[in-house]
Amino acid sequence: MTEKGPGTDWYRLRQIWLGIKKRTGNPCNKDHEHYSALGVSLCEEWQDFETFYNWSMAHGYRDGLTLDRMRNANGPYAPWNCRWVSRKAQAYNRTTNHPLRASDGRIRTVVQWSQATGIPESTIRKRLKLGWTVDEAVGIKERKKN
């Protein structure tokens, strides 16, 4: 293990691990309703911090990355279900993100469609709210003029 103390990988990973333990194991925690109340748990293997630390260092941990559960809705914090990603990448995996499927099968979030098409997110959201299809809202098909 590397040097222990503030500013080190060990210290930051310890804080992340303690946060996971609190969210998943303490019914009094403010985030309980979003984690353990929904069945999200910390796997047995990661109950030991050193095991979590070693996995993190071997699986892409770097300062600035966040731990992302790939099966976000109910998947546990476990080696097979976690990865280290940027905050932007993790934002795409939030339960509040709603994927939009175009008729050609492509699935993207509003943010991803906006980046791909150059159409502002707010415009896509307004179009969808007005009842436009996904294809029309993201400019794949021309909207019929009245």
Side-chain angles (χ1 to χ4, degrees):
M1 208 176 281
T2 62
E3 178 186 340
K4 299 174 184 176
T8 66
D9 292 340
W10 185 93
Y11 182 80
R12 181 168 184 259
L13 284 167
R14 179 92 175 156
Q15 296 307 305
I16 291 167
W17 179 77
L18 287 170
I20 294 167
K21 286 188 68 92
K22 288 176 186 174
R23 287 191 298 277
T24 60
N26 181 355
C28 296
N29 184 274
K30 65 180 178 61
D31 295 318
H32 172 77
E33 67 181 285
H34 303 291
Y35 292 89
S36 53
L38 299 176
V40 177
S41 62
L42 178 62
C43 73
E44 189 64 34
E45 183 179 353
W46 282 0
Q47 294 294 326
D48 173 65
F49 170 68
E50 193 161 339
T51 304
F52 172 76
Y53 174 89
N54 290 334
W55 175 89
S56 295
M57 297 310 289
H59 287 87
Y61 169 79
R62 288 188 325 272
D63 194 33
L65 297 180
T66 62
L67 187 64
D68 180 52
R69 285 180 302 117
M70 294 177 282
R71 284 185 49 220
N72 197 24
N74 60 3
Y77 284 97
W80 58 267
N81 191 41
C82 289
R83 61 188 173 176
W84 290 102
V85 298
S86 68
R87 290 190 187 283
K88 184 176 181 179
Q90 189 175 43
Y92 291 135
N93 196 28
R94 294 180 63 119
T95 55
T96 54
N97 251 341
H98 301 289
L100 303 173
R101 180 187 300 269
S103 61
D104 63 6
R106 288 183 292 168
I107 301 173
R108 296 179 176 155
T109 64
V110 170
V111 173
Q112 291 168 322
W113 279 115
S114 176
Q115 290 170 343
T117 63
I119 299 170
E121 293 173 47
S122 59
T123 301
I124 294 172
R125 290 182 201 285
K126 285 177 192 173
R127 289 174 175 178
L128 291 169
K129 195 171 185 175
L130 289 169
W132 291 30
T133 67
V134 172
D135 289 350
E136 293 167 337
V138 301
I140 292 175
K141 293 182 180 175
E142 286 294 317
R143 178 123 173 111
K144 293 176 187 169
K145 297 184 180 184
N146 293 340

